[in-house]
Amino acid sequence: AKNIVIIKKNMMSRKVDKSLQNSATQGILEQEKFMIKILFICHGNICRSPMAEFVFKDMVEKRGLADRFEIASAATSTEEIWNGVGNPVSPPAREELAKHGISCDGKRAVQLKKSDYDAYDYLIGMDYMNIKNIERMTGHQGGKIKLLLSFAGEDRPISDPWYTGDFRKTYEDVVKGCEALLRCIDGKTL
């Protein structure tokens, strides 16, 4: 005999197979278990890391994989966060994303937290100082903390367009790193 539960809703009774209910719950738990969580990190969270966040979101969306990922970005500093409210993505970064059909509407700078190390599978810095600060702030070294372009086999930072003014070059490097990251993840789990 199957384990049957009677559910009353809107004055109507219906039978629900308890094993199907348990299977659905298990499926949700399995999906959460295999959700890949990525946090992109730069100094202020207004240029490079939000560009990486939204480029990567766009890539997984176009591949039909968005439900497999949780993607966010953060800063190692509080320079772009005032009285607890972060600044929006810098206009030139937002404009560069828009040239490629990518929106970052609503994104505001947030700061990396120590607990982010446990919450995310990948903590990805844009340059060497980001990596040092991520390690200092989380109390961890190496492991899931990586330089974005290292996934593309390059040991170099993504230049900060806040200083270079070259948002196109930053975008190109972000795309290169994000494509390599997705290939790396795809080779492991997808």
Side-chain angles (χ1 to χ4, degrees), residues 41 94 107 148-149 176:
I41 304 157
R94 189 172 54 242
K107 171 65 182 169
L148 180 57
L149 283 174
K176 178 188 274 188

Side-chain angles (χ1 to χ4, degrees), residues 78-142:
T78 57
E79 288 178 19
E80 297 296 334
I81 303 167
W82 300 89
N83 297 319
V85 178
N87 286 330
V89 175
S90 74
R94 189 172 54 242
E95 290 162 10
E96 187 63 39
L97 289 171
K99 287 178 190 174
H100 304 278
I102 301 171
S103 172
C104 59
D105 289 347
K107 171 65 182 169
R108 290 190 163 271
V110 297
Q111 189 178 30
L112 174 71
K113 301 181 297 289
K114 182 178 179 128
S115 61
D116 287 334
Y117 187 85
D118 293 325
Y120 288 90
D121 301 307
Y122 295 88
L123 283 83
I124 301 175
M126 301 295 125
D127 64 34
Y128 304 113
M129 187 55 73
N130 299 154
I131 298 297
K132 281 178 132 358
N133 285 327
I134 295 165
E135 290 173 344
R136 177 183 54 79
M137 293 171 76
T138 64
H140 295 275
Q141 291 185 334

